[in-house]
Amino acid sequence: MKSLAEGDLEDCLLNKVNLRRQLISQTVEEVQKVIHRLTTEISRQDVRFQAVPYSDTYNENIKVLAPCQFLVTVPVKGLAGYREASERRWRYYSLQGARLPSPVPEPEALQQWLGVEQFSKRLWQWHEADVSVEGDIVPAKVLQVFRTLVENAIRTCHLSGEVSVLPSYGCAVWVAVETSACQVGLELVPVVEISTWPEKARWPRCLKRWPSPNKVECIKSFGLKLLARSNYHWQLSFCQAEQVLLDGLDEDGGCRRKCFQVLRQMKEDVWCPGKRPVITSHHLQTVLFWTCEKYPRTKDWQIFDKSFLRLVQKLHKCVSQHFLKHYFVQKCNLLQYASSGELDAVAQRLAFFLKHPQIHLPEGPPAREPLGHPLLT
């Protein structure tokens, strides 16, 4: 057992972090090759979807949410010149196009409608009934088309031995990829790239010292992405903005990144392990951003033990209250639909750690387990 007060936690876990980093490249490279082959074939079959490029370094289309759970965004083609919709109207259509007696619920905080007329340049295929209803591009219909393309591409590319389509979780498209390290579950998500900052993201908040004004302007210039992850509404994603924040974490020489790496390692090994954990790396990343904003000074991030415990305390508070605000859209609670029982179990483990800051970890990585991605290293 290692005591945080003795300063041994940092050395012990950083060894595992370094091992994790060494194993990253192999798993990601294998997954990338498969994704590139599949999406290249998908793009050949349907011009509305782009191939995910292969990258020797960082691939912005792949994000690791947990050791065996990746999110892969597949850009769409033929939609450009976006503008936010000014008119509001009720929708009474079903996913099959039939009329409903009552309107479809309005989008939640991290969602929005998407109309084909919101783009000044668009391919005629986006007007087709296989993806649109009454002028709306409907995520569930896009995913239905995309799922068929994925199934066809697996057969065409002769990847049936490596890739299999998993049972549907809602309208999502999940596949399992066999790598030399593990079986990785990939959620494949069509994504619309938007160059403007959304009105819903009222950020930064007034009188905040982190990040700097120059960094804020840089972040806003990237806009956002809209993900097809539900039936009627598109989900807002700020992955590029988040990456800019991660890239510049320790420009002042602090230990924010090191704290985050250790936090993630403890989460994966002790507090919330598993293939589809209730707490993902994105949750930890959000906790980190809020803590950086609350403690913006360089001197707040000079002592590892103190800084790390501060992050754990923030995580414990959020998990205990089942409430974690999205960093850019504050009206969204990232834990709103998480299992209460699983959150309570994680909260108990975190509380025990805070009372007795000690660790007892496995000597090596779990067998056949993918250990991350450059996005979070």
Side-chain angles (χ1 to χ4, degrees):
M1 299 288 283
K2 302 292 185 180
S3 169
L4 186 63
E6 297 170 358
D8 294 330
L9 174 63
E10 181 179 1
D11 292 339
C12 179
L13 280 180
L14 284 180
N15 287 335
K16 289 184 66 68
V17 167
N18 290 332
L19 177 60
R20 184 186 196 273
R21 183 181 300 169
Q22 293 169 12
L23 295 175
I24 283 171
S25 58
Q26 179 182 347
T27 301
V28 172
E29 183 172 345
E30 292 180 46
V31 169
Q32 274 199 107
K33 289 178 179 178
V34 171
I35 293 170
H36 180 64
R37 285 180 64 187
L38 281 178
T39 55
T40 297
E41 174 61 22
I42 288 170
S43 184
R44 189 190 66 80
Q45 294 180 25
D46 193 324
V47 70
R48 290 173 293 191
F49 300 95
Q50 296 186 45
V52 173
Y54 178 86
S55 173
D56 291 329
T57 54
Y58 163 66
N59 193 323
E60 66 178 21
N61 295 103
I62 303 175
K63 183 171 184 178
V64 171
L65 301 178
C68 297
Q69 181 184 355
F70 288 20
L71 173 67
V72 180
T73 54
V74 181
V76 304
K77 291 195 292 187
L79 294 171
Y82 172 82
R83 59 185 180 277
E84 291 206 25
S86 56
E87 65 172 310
R88 298 176 182 271
R89 62 183 175 89
W90 297 108
R91 273 79 167 177
Y92 288 88
Y93 59 77
S94 69
L95 297 176
Q96 293 72 37
R99 297 292 294 178
L100 299 173
S102 57
V104 177
E106 286 294 290
E108 296 184 356
L110 209 62
Q111 298 177 332
Q112 72 167 65
W113 301 104
L114 189 64
V116 68
E117 297 296 333
Q118 289 179 253
F119 298 91
S120 60
K121 299 178 182 179
R122 52 193 181 269
L123 290 174
W124 63 266
Q125 288 94 334
W126 289 107
H127 291 271
E128 292 293 286
D130 63 342
V131 294
S132 67
V133 180
E134 296 185 5
D136 289 331
I137 304 174
V138 183
K141 296 179 76 67
V142 173
L143 285 166
Q144 186 176 26
V145 171
F146 185 67
R147 184 183 184 89
T148 300
L149 291 168
V150 170
E151 293 169 346
N152 292 340
I154 291 173
R155 291 191 294 269
T156 304
C157 296
H158 307 291
L159 288 171
S160 300
E162 297 178 55
V163 186
S164 57
V165 179
L166 296 174
S168 177
Y169 293 86
C171 57
V173 178
W174 282 86
V175 300
V177 176
E178 295 290 342
T179 72
S180 59
C182 67
Q183 182 186 79
V184 182
L186 309 180
E187 183 183 4
L188 304 180
V189 183
V191 58
V192 179
E193 297 182 355
I194 304 298
S195 60
T196 56
W197 192 256
E199 292 183 3
K200 283 187 175 183
R202 301 187 181 280
W203 178 88
R205 285 150 288 283
C206 295
L207 304 177
K208 298 300 179 182
R209 296 174 53 192
W210 187 92
S212 67
N214 288 340
K215 183 62 68 69
V216 168
E217 290 305 311
C218 174
I219 287 170
K220 287 190 170 184
S221 70
F222 285 101
L224 77 156
K225 296 182 178 182
L226 299 177
L227 276 55
R229 297 185 83 183
S230 66
N231 285 329
Y232 292 93
H233 310 122
W234 292 77
Q235 179 183 316
L236 280 67
S237 171
F238 298 84
C239 54
Q240 289 177 295
E242 291 163 353
Q243 184 59 37
V244 174
L245 286 175
L246 287 172
D247 288 342
L249 272 181
D250 292 322
E251 293 173 340
D252 59 0
C255 62
R256 300 169 187 83
R257 180 175 293 275
K258 184 185 296 184
C259 289
F260 174 69
Q261 291 171 334
V262 173
L263 185 75
R264 180 188 56 200
Q265 196 73 53
M266 285 291 289
K267 193 279 297 183
E268 293 177 359
D269 288 342
V270 180
W271 300 327
C272 189
K275 291 186 177 181
R276 292 195 178 179
V278 67
I279 299 298
T280 69
S281 290
H282 185 257
H283 293 122
L284 302 185
Q285 177 181 286
T286 304
V287 167
L288 173 67
F289 292 159
W290 282 117
T291 309
C292 287
E293 184 175 291
K294 184 175 181 180
Y295 298 93
R297 299 174 300 177
T298 302
K299 69 177 185 178
D300 294 324
W301 298 93
Q302 294 300 308
I303 303 174
F304 172 81
D305 293 359
K306 183 178 180 180
S307 302
F308 177 73
L309 283 177
R310 188 189 298 129
L311 275 181
V312 179
Q313 289 164 353
K314 173 66 175 177
L315 177 62
H316 175 254
K317 179 179 179 181
C318 293
V319 173
S320 299
Q321 296 178 349
H322 301 184
F323 186 78
L324 173 58
K325 289 189 295 185
H326 190 280
Y327 185 62
F328 295 106
V329 182
Q330 291 189 72
K331 291 183 179 180
C332 173
N333 174 17
L334 294 177
L335 299 178
Q336 180 177 356
Y337 299 109
S339 164
S340 295
E342 291 182 50
L343 289 176
D344 291 340
V346 175
Q348 289 181 357
R349 298 185 190 111
L350 289 168
F352 181 83
F353 175 82
L354 289 170
K355 189 174 181 180
H356 308 283
Q358 298 175 328
I359 58 171
H360 185 64
L361 299 175
E363 291 301 320
R368 290 180 54 77
E369 183 181 40
L371 297 175
H373 183 268
L375 178 67
L376 297 176
T377 60

